Amino acid sequence: FQAEDGIRDSVASRGLGDVYKRQDGLILDTPLFEFFLKDDELGDPLITDEHILSFGWAGEEDIKEMKEITLNINTILCELFLSSNLILVDFKVEFGLFDGKLLLADEFTPDGCRLWDTETLAKMDKDRFRQGLGDVVESYHQVADRLGMNIKLD
């Protein structure tokens, strides 16, 4: 069993905006937690806690732990990015079970989240590529610079 957990703090046009016809940039009252089944052939479908339990993919304690971990990550990262003048719109992390143990197995990059500039709402993430906005590498370097990373290209 592999699940992707997603947290949304704002509406993105390629996320909740498409489903619920909401304005890009709408700030949600509380973070929205979502499970997706990690399955490329099925297009990583949205699933519920009941799907996970009914199919025996994980137990109630695993679900609770995935939510707690993901919400803690959200709290930490929202503060980190906000201090760098970036809004963490949404992100995903991947969990799996191995020998009965829950594992968080993912990296965090602008490819797995949406980041917007706090003042302009300029997209600084994977949507630059998806929406043909250009300057993908430059935007990723700007994110790194804002976070105090010193990345040099040779």
Side-chain angles (χ1 to χ4, degrees):
F1 164 70
Q2 287 185 311
E4 290 184 336
D5 295 5
I7 289 283
R8 297 184 192 279
D9 293 302
S10 305
V11 173
S13 62
R14 297 283 174 135
L16 284 178
D18 288 344
V19 176
Y20 297 104
K21 304 298 180 211
R22 297 288 182 192
Q23 177 182 346
D24 210 16
L26 174 71
I27 305 298
L28 302 177
D29 292 336
T30 61
L32 176 62
F33 182 93
E34 299 171 312
F35 278 116
F36 298 88
L37 180 63
K38 182 74 173 153
D39 188 319
D40 292 338
E41 288 182 19
L42 296 176
D44 298 338
L46 179 67
I47 58 174
T48 65
D49 297 18
E50 288 77 19
H51 288 107
I52 295 169
L53 294 170
S54 294
F55 287 102
W57 295 327
E60 288 185 27
E61 284 302 312
D62 298 319
I63 292 171
K64 181 181 175 187
E65 189 175 357
M66 285 186 275
K67 289 180 178 182
E68 287 175 1
I69 291 169
T70 305
L71 288 168
N72 285 337
I73 292 169
N74 185 61
T75 299
I76 292 165
L77 291 179
C78 279
E79 291 174 11
L80 172 74
F81 286 117
L82 197 54
S83 71
S84 299
N85 296 319
L86 294 165
I87 300 168
L88 178 61
V89 176
D90 62 18
F91 70 94
K92 60 104 183 144
V93 291
E94 296 181 14
F95 288 93
L97 288 175
F98 182 74
D99 286 339
K101 291 185 178 185
L102 183 67
L103 302 176
L104 171 60
D106 213 341
E107 79 285 348
F108 200 89
T109 70
D111 282 339
C113 68
R114 285 187 178 88
L115 296 168
W116 295 345
D117 179 84
T118 55
E119 292 182 26
T120 66
L121 297 184
K123 294 171 171 64
M124 310 283 292
D125 54 56
K126 62 185 176 182
D127 280 346
R128 297 207 60 81
F129 172 76
R130 287 183 175 165
Q131 297 176 12
L133 301 173
D135 297 325
V136 176
V137 173
E138 174 65 25
S139 290
Y140 285 20
H141 277 278
Q142 288 178 22
V143 169
D145 289 346
R146 289 182 187 200
L147 293 171
M149 299 176 189
N150 188 13
I151 299 174
K152 300 284 185 198
L153 291 178
D154 292 331

